[in-house]
Amino acid sequence: MASTSRRALRLLSLFASRRLWPLRDLAAGLGASERTVRRDIETLRRLGYPITTVHGPGGGYRLGAGHPLPALVFDRDQALAVAVALQTAPRTVSGLEDDAARALAALEQAVPAALRAPMESLRLTRLQNYWEFPAPPVDPAALTAVGTAVRHRHVLVVETLRADGSRPGPGDDDFLPARRIEPHHLVVWAGRWYLVAYDLGDDQWRVHRVDRLRPRPTTRPFGPRQHPHDDLARFVMSSHERGDTPAAWPCTGSARLDLPAGVVARWAPGGSVVEHLDAGHCRLTLGAWSWAGVAGILVTFDAELTDLRPPELAHACRRIAHRLAAVADAGGEP
């Protein structure tokens, strides 16, 4: 009976994460046979949970409306995932640190003691690593407005902000007029929130930094479109026009690479900027804690480098070349 009860709770937790489940997926998730899952579903039905059978090739079982799920039906792995997420995610959204800490404390009080101990063992201390590329946190109001527009498929009117959060005026060189866009998907990459959207002004797919947008919601609906890439995360990573600006570093330099912008954008570290030059060349601007660090990252692309800026970066490359040549010569001695 105890085993059946645990499976029933686990079954409810699966339904909480996804409404429609094929029988084989439920069996795999529970580590039980399909016959056992059917019996557990009948047990839940007798307890009043409206689980319906969906027939057809895409069918399975669906938990209907009209009966609330038990509060906080988590298994061990889910509880640990929530604990880690609450401690790591707030750094990307402004002002959520205290709220996340209170939510974690409330969660620890609500779950059974068997889950509380491993959650408490994952109290994290954040350390700044020199190779982290921090991003400005997103305004929760802007993120909510964008997320709501994505969910309800409503057109957004957006204004582009500077890196410091200010809005350029009509007479400024970097001023862009407000745009009407269809917000399709949110992607988080390298600590930054990006919006994949279709621009109604020039009929192009674009990637926007959410922290660089001032969104104005509308109630105008839009329909589905064929996405620009089957993998939207890869589309974001390979788009060089993401609205990125160089992260603040002691040393910031750039070079012309004999590689397409899309290739470099995919592998460039967060906080760098890729400028398209032509089909086979781009300019990469990035920072590091030393000029040798900037040079070292550029070398990882294993491509020809020209037009290095500033002169300090070129000097660092020459020093590294001399050191490596000495190492190669020494390695050739018997």
Side-chain angles (χ1 to χ4, degrees), residues 41-204:
I41 288 175
E42 290 303 319
T43 299
L44 292 176
R45 284 170 172 167
R46 288 194 297 269
L47 292 173
Y49 289 96
I51 300 175
T52 59
T53 302
V54 180
H55 299 285
Y61 292 95
R62 175 186 290 131
L63 179 63
H67 198 299
L69 287 171
L72 297 174
V73 180
F74 289 146
D75 60 24
R76 181 180 182 277
D77 292 340
Q78 288 174 321
L80 292 179
V82 173
V84 171
L86 284 172
Q87 295 180 82
T88 56
R91 68 171 58 189
T92 70
V93 183
S94 177
L96 290 189
E97 289 83 359
D98 291 342
D99 296 325
R102 290 190 295 107
L104 180 59
L107 177 64
E108 290 176 345
Q109 292 302 313
V111 299
L115 296 182
R116 190 178 308 129
M119 290 174 61
E120 291 176 344
S121 70
L122 282 179
R123 288 290 187 178
L124 305 179
T125 299
R126 295 180 184 173
L127 300 174
Q128 178 68 42
N129 185 285
Y130 280 115
W131 292 107
E132 290 181 359
F133 297 85
V138 179
D139 178 9
L143 184 59
T144 300
V146 172
T148 300
V150 171
R151 184 170 65 254
H152 294 300
R153 304 181 71 84
H154 284 171
V155 170
L156 275 176
V157 177
V158 297
E159 298 175 341
T160 303
L161 305 177
R162 292 190 175 111
D164 62 3
S166 63
R167 167 73 168 150
D172 296 327
D173 292 339
D174 55 349
F175 173 75
L176 293 174
R179 311 286 293 181
R180 291 184 307 114
I181 63 173
E182 296 176 353
H184 284 262
H185 201 76
L186 280 169
V187 175
V188 180
W189 179 54
R192 292 162 171 78
W193 291 80
Y194 295 94
L195 173 65
V196 179
Y198 188 80
D199 193 308
L200 296 172
D202 54 13
D203 296 323
Q204 289 190 36

Side-chain angles (χ1 to χ4, degrees), residues 266-299:
R266 170 67 180 87
W267 301 108
S272 57
V273 175
V274 181
E275 176 188 358
H276 171 82
L277 299 178
D278 56 44
H281 302 85
C282 67
R283 173 167 289 278
L284 174 60
T285 302
L286 73 160
W289 59 274
S290 69
W291 292 114
V294 177
I297 297 175
L298 290 172
V299 169

